Amino acid sequence: MSKVFQSVLLGVCGSVLSCSVLAAPTNFSYSSIGIAFGKQTLDDPIVFFGERYEEMGIGGIGLSVQFADDVLFLETGSQAASNEGPNTSLTSSVAFIGLGAVQAVSDSVDVYGKLDLLSGTSEACLGAICAKDDDTGSAFGLGLKAWFDDARTIAGRLSYSSSKYSKDTKRSSSTSFGLSAYVSEKHELGFGFSNGESSRVTSFSYDYYFK
């Protein structure tokens, strides 16, 4: 599976599924719907029929629902990366669904772990002629989220993620961090940065919390 798949998933997923105010056992809510968009910078540019790709535009949407006394959360969503030149285009997308567990370790910090199932598609086109590849895989993530102020309007997160598709010979991993500002208890604006093995992702996000 293309490294673009893995970088998009690992880089944007943390931005789409973020946090808000909630009572114990967690400091944040994990029941939200969100969108994210940004840019992926490739460490090694892709050259396809003479056209050079150094960056990809990215976007994603995600839904997360907290349950079981707020200890577990279910997440699902999709993300994509694309770019096009005068004669060619590259596109990759991934849909995911997974389960996570979260617990507060202090009055301002949560820790969590999650496991996702992945279904990805990549497509490369020269004019109207396209080649397509599909694959499936899994990913796991570990992370923490913390409030930075007593008013609970500024928060940060740090996470590690790892994924593997069935056609790959080894896993791909990424480390991400993010900052969030809360317009209100239900509305969050976020910035995220992810450093993967083959690319870097910068993203902006918006989340609405319904619980």
Side-chain angles (χ1 to χ4, degrees):
M1 178 57 61
S2 167
K3 292 290 185 182
V4 173
F5 270 140
Q6 300 165 7
S7 297
V8 170
L9 174 72
L10 301 177
V12 179
C13 187
S15 297
V16 172
L17 303 172
S18 302
C19 41
S20 186
V21 183
L22 191 72
T26 63
N27 294 287
F28 298 88
S29 171
Y30 299 82
S31 293
S32 67
I33 183 168
I35 58 173
F37 63 92
K39 179 180 70 174
Q40 178 187 22
T41 303
L42 306 176
D43 292 340
D44 297 315
I46 299 172
V47 179
F48 183 55
F49 282 93
E51 295 183 0
R52 183 182 178 90
Y53 291 89
E54 298 180 350
E55 297 178 346
M56 306 285 283
I58 60 174
I61 184 169
L63 171 69
S64 179
V65 179
Q66 203 168 1
F67 65 100
D69 294 327
D70 295 332
V71 174
L72 302 179
F73 61 91
L74 178 70
E75 63 178 16
T76 185
S78 63
Q79 295 143 14
S82 65
N83 200 351
E84 62 180 39
N87 302 302
T88 66
S89 64
L90 300 177
T91 304
S92 66
S93 62
V94 59
F96 63 91
I97 185 169
L99 183 67
V102 59
Q103 180 63 52
V105 294
S106 74
D107 60 1
S108 62
V109 179
D110 286 355
V111 295
Y112 67 86
K114 60 181 182 175
L115 177 65
D116 292 309
L117 300 179
L118 315 176
S119 177
T121 300
S122 62
E123 186 175 68
C125 296
L126 175 62
I129 303 173
C130 298
K132 187 177 181 181
D133 179 45
D134 297 323
D135 204 353
T136 58
S138 62
F140 72 86
L142 300 171
L144 63 85
K145 298 175 181 178
W147 291 111
F148 287 160
D149 62 337
D150 293 337
R152 298 201 167 193
T153 58
I154 303 297
R157 70 175 183 276
L158 178 67
S159 63
Y160 170 83
S161 299
S162 178
S163 68
K164 185 179 184 302
Y165 285 86
S166 62
K167 297 178 183 178
D168 291 338
T169 57
K170 64 176 183 178
R171 304 191 68 86
S172 179
S173 61
S174 175
T175 302
S176 305
F177 73 86
L179 293 173
S180 300
Y182 289 81
V183 181
S184 70
E185 184 176 332
K186 293 184 177 295
H187 301 278
E188 175 202 18
L189 300 176
F191 167 79
F193 176 79
S194 175
N195 186 30
E197 296 176 359
S198 59
S199 68
R200 298 172 305 282
V201 172
T202 303
S203 61
F204 298 90
S205 62
Y206 165 76
D207 288 270
Y208 171 76
Y209 295 90
F210 49 87
K211 180 180 178 181

